[in-house]
Amino acid sequence: MAAAASSLNSNAADHYDYQANPATREVLWVRWIILTLALSFFAIFLLLPLVAVFFEALRKGWDTYITALQEPDALSAVKLTLIAAAISVPLNLVFGVSAAWAIAKFQFRGKQFLITLIDLPFSVSPVIAGLIYVLMFGAQGWFGPWLQEHDIKIIFAVPGIVLATVFVTFPFVARELIPLMESQGKEEEEAATVLGARGWQTFLRVTLPNIK
Amino acid sequence: MKTFTKLQFKLRTLFATTLVGSALAASTVLAADVSLLNVSYDPTRELYQDFNKAFAAHWKAKTGDNVTVKQSHGGAGKQARAVIDGLEADVVTLALAYDIDAISEKAKLLPADWQKRLPHNSSPYTSTIVFLVRKGNPRGIKDWNDLVKPGIAVITPNPKTSGGARWNYLAAWAYALKQPGGNEASAKDFVQKIFANVPVLDSGARGSTTTFVERGIGDVLLAWENEAYLAVKELGPEKVDIVVPSLSILAEPPVTLVDKNADKHGTRVVAEAYLNYLYSEEGQNIAGQNYYRPIDKKVAAKYAKTFAPVKLITIDDVFGGWQKAQKTHFEDGGTFDQIYKVK
Amino acid sequence: MQLRLKNNNVLPGFPLALGYTVAYLSLIVLLPLSAVFVKTATLSFSQFWDIISAPRVVASFKLSFGASLVAAAINTVFGLMLAWCLVRYRFPGKKLVDALIDLPFALPTAVAGIALTALYAPNGWIGSLLAPYGIKVAFTPLGVLIALIFIGLPFVVRTVQPILEDMETELEEAASSLGAQRWQVFRHVVLPILTPALLTGFALAFARAVGEYGSVIFIAGNMPMVSEIAPLMIITKLEQYDYAGATAIAVAMLMLSFILLLLINLLQGWKASLQTRAPRGPA
């Protein structure tokens, strides 16, 4: 989603040729150095590993790969991932927009504290994320006995996977939107409000088009 | 939030229809569909793929019911924890009795004396630890004492995270103990020297096999016998050889019913039949074909050529059982931690 | 936490947005995380301290946090360059590079880990080139660093790129018309605008790296005191069914990451406030 958004943006940016503008142009040799360094780094640390992934799969043969995909287990795993994404993406999208609105357009105390809390799930190892759901919903956990009594399954079932996905993808949208909305400032929204737009109108007509 | 409720609703309807469906099927005395969950460890994947097919056919012939056995594989400890934390296994087939003890102790899902319920310590097949070396055995590795020689690179997973690695560790320990003049101190020294030759400690047995076979690291891999044979079968005998040491350890991977879960699912009868079938002639043959040592003497004789004779010691005799071995060697501050601290 | 509007803001929706943010944050993040703290509380402080000050645990913390900081720093430098190329330059394959940047993100971590190990093992494409010089990457702390660079790069590129795209060229034009050299323009005009985003990218790449498990565990080699990462120590405790011990290490990790992230974010907030005040204030 973020990728789609940024590639859309870069399409727009493509129309602007920075190197044609003397104020935003670098000398040729500087351009070459930056390009060479950046692209070599990209090739060694990102492209090559990705090619290796491809080769590892190829070496084992696409057949095994395809049969692996056709196995009922793998199929349901893919389905599960899709379900989890279908639930977590909209949830975190709403959260991300609301958090970015509060953080980017307003000044308040404890703002950096709040941002750090939003970042925190990123740094939480999947190992710890698994552990916390076990501690809460596992058979020996806080809600375990109650859940068992009512025959509700959370971990080792769909809701657990959804919860874990929501948790680990939690900061994504918020973190991508905050710097963007901050850099856009709030003049446009303020203008709209002063001109008499209602809160939702400002948000829908001014802010939303700016970030998507 | 709406999507979530919708999904929950869908799941519930689905659940209800299956319930109604199975109730209907039961009342009409037609073939019922039963499903079992067998939670197992990594190296048994191939074994249970074969066995589940055979059992389904057997059960269909006997009762007319269709039984589907779902498998779950992973590191033994992780699998045991999953069952403790609520993965509703009907049966567990794990690498160590210690892990099943933990299920009994922490979650009270089965009685403490579970290991007495089925013959042969509830282990329908056994295995042992062998060496996998490069083709032609260029470093001339014959026995455990070759592993401590300088310059030999030994590959084994981390005993802290891998059940198989604990068997490796204890086998080496037992070998040193059984040497003339061997005692606890000399055994610890011996094991420490082996681990000084270990360049990589993967977190699981499959990871170590990959390191040895595909990354080309190490001169010798300490492996489950069945994993070693599988590796030879997959790579072809022109790549690696199996070396059987003079002494090794008798690994008894136990199986058991998880009483509370089976009763909850109403699957006790079929789950017990499933486990008993492991002891039948066909079950024993499938074990043998998958390079596990059958415990049935008659079947074992058929596979005698596959399995080299090796002097096997047991955990109970040498280490006083898994509980004790785990505490002495692998808990925090145990001998495994000590050999890394001294260095 | 005291929340008070500092300035008169005409924009509406602050209580709603903040209220919802805090409520959702508490439900999804804080409540579950409290579970590890509660479980750790079953230990006495000296037990807790013994666990997290054990030499192996300390060594794993040094590796996890140290390698994550270095990886994030490297990614910040090269991520900026990559974002710069993607926005400012035209070159063949640009679309492809742009599309591939996100892949480390989408790839299952274990798949990435196995591929990286294959690449950097002594018999791998890169590993075999380095081996004659005695450089070992796979199964050493260096391998951990490489894996962390791989997974962290998208964060920097994707936080800097939109800011760069959004940036008005007028500022640069004004500076250059006043006679500033290109380097001075970059140093004094462009970089200050990008700094908050760079710090955010750094924070995210760092945070992601600290918790990473799947892609690191294959390449790390997991040698005690040398190349064990902190999450592995948690797994080790769990293997002994020592849940409280596992949560103790988890708590220490969480606190450390929180403090480091807070420091980075405070710095970011300070830089951002400098920036909004300077160019936007009436002269």
Side-chain angles (χ1 to χ4, degrees):
Chain A
M1 177 153 298
S6 53
S7 68
L8 261 181
N9 281 344
S10 69
N11 283 347
D14 272 349
H15 294 301
Y16 190 83
D17 187 353
Y18 289 92
Q19 299 312 314
N21 182 344
T24 55
R25 177 168 60 196
E26 280 89 35
V27 198
L28 193 64
W29 65 267
V30 174
R31 217 183 306 164
W32 271 105
I33 289 178
I34 296 178
L35 262 175
T36 314
L37 277 175
L39 291 182
S40 318
F41 184 82
F42 173 82
I44 294 172
F45 287 99
L46 214 129
L47 188 61
L48 215 53
L50 291 174
V51 174
V53 168
F54 184 78
F55 261 80
E56 283 279 296
L58 197 70
R59 207 169 45 91
K60 300 238 162 78
W62 286 109
D63 291 348
T64 41
Y65 193 70
I66 290 163
T67 30
L69 269 182
Q70 280 166 343
E71 267 181 35
D73 281 359
L75 268 184
S76 63
V78 171
K79 219 163 74 187
L80 260 182
T81 316
L82 290 180
I83 292 176
I87 297 171
S88 63
V89 167
L91 275 179
N92 286 335
L93 196 66
V94 173
F95 164 77
V97 173
S98 115
W101 178 266
I103 288 168
K105 308 281 178 191
F106 298 89
Q107 287 303 324
F108 56 91
R109 269 192 214 167
K111 188 170 171 175
Q112 300 308 326
F113 189 79
L114 183 66
I115 295 179
T116 310
L117 282 178
I118 294 174
D119 283 343
L120 202 56
F122 255 153
S123 76
V124 172
S125 179
V127 175
I128 300 180
L131 183 62
I132 59 180
Y133 289 109
V134 162
L135 288 173
M136 292 219 315
F137 303 117
Q140 320 301 318
W142 292 353
F143 306 118
W146 185 86
L147 290 172
Q148 280 196 321
E149 227 166 79
H150 295 78
D151 205 34
I152 303 170
K153 285 180 193 164
I154 293 194
I155 54 170
F156 310 113
V158 181
I161 292 166
V162 172
L163 270 178
T165 314
V166 171
F167 182 86
V168 293
T169 57
F170 178 82
F172 280 97
V173 183
R175 267 330 221 143
E176 296 225 3
L177 284 185
I178 293 170
L180 188 63
M181 278 166 79
E182 264 174 352
S183 79
Q184 282 164 351
K186 52 190 184 193
E187 285 88 352
E188 288 180 40
E189 281 90 349
E190 278 168 349
T193 315
V194 171
L195 290 174
R198 286 164 193 275
W200 283 111
Q201 286 176 322
T202 310
F203 176 73
L204 288 175
R205 302 262 169 86
V206 180
T207 312
L208 222 47
N210 262 342
I211 55 177
K212 270 299 133 206
Chain B
M1 221 46 198
K2 230 177 195 167
T3 358
F4 188 58
T5 0
K6 237 189 228 163
L7 180 88
Q8 256 184 341
F9 177 72
K10 257 193 197 159
L11 281 176
R12 257 195 224 140
T13 3
L14 197 76
F15 183 62
T17 34
T18 7
L19 260 188
V20 174
S22 45
L24 272 178
S27 63
T28 47
V29 204
L30 276 171
D33 287 324
V34 211
S35 143
L36 286 183
L37 176 61
N38 175 4
V39 170
S40 194
Y41 60 114
D42 261 331
T44 57
R45 207 177 291 264
E46 290 77 12
L47 165 68
Y48 280 105
Q49 254 168 25
D50 292 354
F51 179 76
N52 291 346
K53 255 182 245 152
F55 177 71
H58 161 79
W59 194 247
K60 177 92 183 161
K62 195 176 158 196
T63 64
D65 292 349
N66 296 313
V67 59
T68 339
V69 185
K70 286 185 213 140
Q71 284 293 139
S72 164
H73 295 276
K78 185 176 145 236
Q79 295 291 79
R81 279 203 310 282
V83 175
I84 291 172
D85 293 326
L87 181 61
E88 294 190 356
D90 300 281
V91 298
V92 288
T93 52
L94 295 175
L96 314 175
Y98 176 75
D99 289 319
I100 301 183
D101 281 343
I103 300 176
S104 154
E105 191 186 313
K106 314 252 166 199
K108 312 259 180 292
L109 294 173
L110 53 147
D113 63 346
W114 61 271
Q115 207 167 7
K116 299 209 176 75
R117 295 194 293 191
L118 287 167
H120 210 274
N121 278 336
S122 289
S123 305
Y125 41 78
T126 65
S127 190
T128 187
I129 300 300
V130 299
F131 302 164
L132 199 65
V133 297
R134 310 269 168 217
K135 183 67 200 169
N137 198 358
R139 307 300 298 259
I141 293 159
K142 300 240 159 50
D143 208 349
W144 292 99
N145 53 1
D146 293 316
L147 304 185
V148 300
K149 288 181 182 156
I152 297 281
V154 183
I155 305 296
T156 168
N158 190 333
K160 288 264 186 182
T161 51
S162 154
R166 278 173 232 168
W167 290 108
N168 296 346
Y169 186 95
L170 294 178
W173 190 282
Y175 170 84
L177 265 188
K178 298 283 171 187
Q179 296 312 297
N183 56 36
E184 295 288 322
S186 70
K188 187 170 152 191
D189 187 50
F190 182 76
V191 171
Q192 183 171 17
K193 278 187 188 139
I194 292 186
F195 274 84
N197 279 345
V198 175
V200 182
L201 284 167
D202 282 293
S203 58
R206 286 262 149 124
S208 284
T209 312
T210 311
T211 299
F212 181 76
V213 171
E214 281 170 34
R215 310 285 164 256
I217 293 178
D219 302 305
V220 52
L221 170 75
L222 309 185
W224 289 102
E225 187 173 43
N226 66 301
E227 289 274 279
Y229 276 105
L230 267 183
V232 173
K233 192 172 124 191
E234 266 174 32
L235 296 166
E238 69 279 357
K239 284 242 172 106
V240 282
D241 284 332
I242 291 175
V243 170
V244 180
S246 68
L247 175 147
S248 194
I249 199 158
L250 176 71
E252 296 179 309
V255 303
T256 193
L257 176 79
V258 186
D259 299 53
K260 280 225 175 123
N261 290 343
D263 288 341
K264 185 174 166 190
H265 304 154
T267 50
R268 180 180 273 269
V269 177
V270 50
E272 278 175 346
Y274 178 77
L275 294 178
N276 282 322
Y277 197 62
L278 282 168
Y279 289 87
S280 72
E281 194 176 333
E282 183 168 16
Q284 291 288 298
N285 267 312
I286 292 172
Q289 284 153 17
N290 285 285
Y291 310 108
Y292 281 92
R293 297 183 175 216
I295 50 145
D296 183 292
K297 295 244 160 54
K298 208 173 79 201
V299 179
K302 265 172 69 181
Y303 298 93
K305 256 200 282 178
T306 319
F307 302 117
V310 46
K311 193 176 158 213
L312 294 172
I313 58 96
T314 71
I315 293 283
D316 288 349
D317 292 348
V318 180
F319 297 97
W322 262 111
Q323 291 292 341
K324 198 163 164 244
Q326 173 77 22
K327 230 192 200 92
T328 324
H329 298 285
F330 307 119
E331 298 275 276
D332 285 341
T335 62
F336 179 71
D337 280 352
Q338 291 163 23
I339 64 171
Y340 272 100
K341 216 179 269 169
V342 178
K343 214 173 84 174
Chain C
M1 189 163 41
Q2 193 190 1
L3 303 166
R4 195 162 53 90
L5 282 174
K6 265 196 217 153
N7 49 355
N8 283 330
N9 198 321
V10 294
L11 294 186
F14 178 69
L16 176 70
L18 188 70
Y20 176 74
T21 302
V22 172
Y24 187 76
L25 178 79
S26 310
L27 187 70
I28 301 292
V29 179
L30 301 184
L31 182 72
L33 282 184
S34 70
V36 291
F37 286 87
V38 170
K39 185 80 191 176
T40 311
T42 59
L43 299 168
S44 73
F45 184 75
S46 69
Q47 281 173 315
F48 173 76
W49 187 252
D50 284 348
I51 291 168
I52 62 164
S53 63
R56 267 175 79 185
V57 176
V58 172
S60 76
F61 271 59
K62 278 186 192 155
L63 175 65
S64 273
F65 284 88
S68 298
L69 283 171
V70 175
I74 293 175
N75 277 333
T76 305
V77 174
F78 286 93
L80 169 62
M81 283 199 212
L82 262 171
W84 189 269
C85 293
L86 287 174
V87 175
R88 293 279 171 119
Y89 301 153
R90 293 176 174 174
F91 56 91
K94 180 169 158 175
K95 284 252 151 57
L96 186 74
V97 172
D98 198 19
L100 287 179
I101 291 274
D102 286 315
L103 266 182
F105 227 42
L107 222 52
T109 53
V111 172
I114 291 168
L116 283 167
T117 317
L119 206 52
Y120 285 96
N123 67 353
W125 294 340
I126 298 183
S128 59
L129 296 178
L130 298 174
Y133 305 99
I135 305 172
K136 280 189 202 160
V137 179
F139 315 118
T140 69
L142 200 56
V144 175
L145 183 67
I146 301 258
L148 296 183
I149 290 175
F150 177 77
I151 55 153
L153 186 62
F155 293 98
V156 180
V157 178
R158 291 306 187 213
T159 41
V160 176
Q161 200 178 5
I163 309 297
L164 210 48
E165 278 162 358
D166 244 37
M167 205 165 79
E168 311 285 351
T169 52
E170 281 91 339
L171 285 172
E172 286 169 79
E173 281 158 10
S176 101
S177 71
L178 291 173
Q181 297 295 313
R182 185 68 188 131
W183 165 249
Q184 289 173 311
V185 176
F186 177 78
R187 173 72 187 77
H188 296 290
V189 177
V190 179
L191 200 59
I193 297 177
L194 294 182
T195 307
L198 279 171
L199 282 168
T200 303
F202 178 84
L204 294 182
F206 166 74
R208 177 69 200 269
V210 165
E212 184 59 24
Y213 184 74
S215 57
V216 182
I217 206 69
F218 293 96
I219 202 169
N222 311 325
M223 300 303 290
M225 307 299 294
V226 179
S227 58
E228 280 183 322
I229 56 169
L232 180 69
M233 301 314 296
I234 299 178
I235 299 266
T236 303
K237 293 280 176 197
L238 287 177
E239 286 289 319
Q240 299 168 30
Y241 304 100
D242 179 5
Y243 283 70
T247 57
I249 299 176
V251 161
M253 272 186 82
L254 284 173
M255 307 266 274
L256 251 176
S257 332
F258 183 82
I259 292 168
L260 285 169
L261 284 174
L262 186 63
L263 286 177
I264 301 169
N265 284 334
L266 284 172
L267 187 64
Q268 194 259 4
W270 179 63
K271 287 277 179 195
S273 72
L274 279 186
Q275 181 211 352
T276 41
R277 222 171 286 154
R280 289 228 173 90

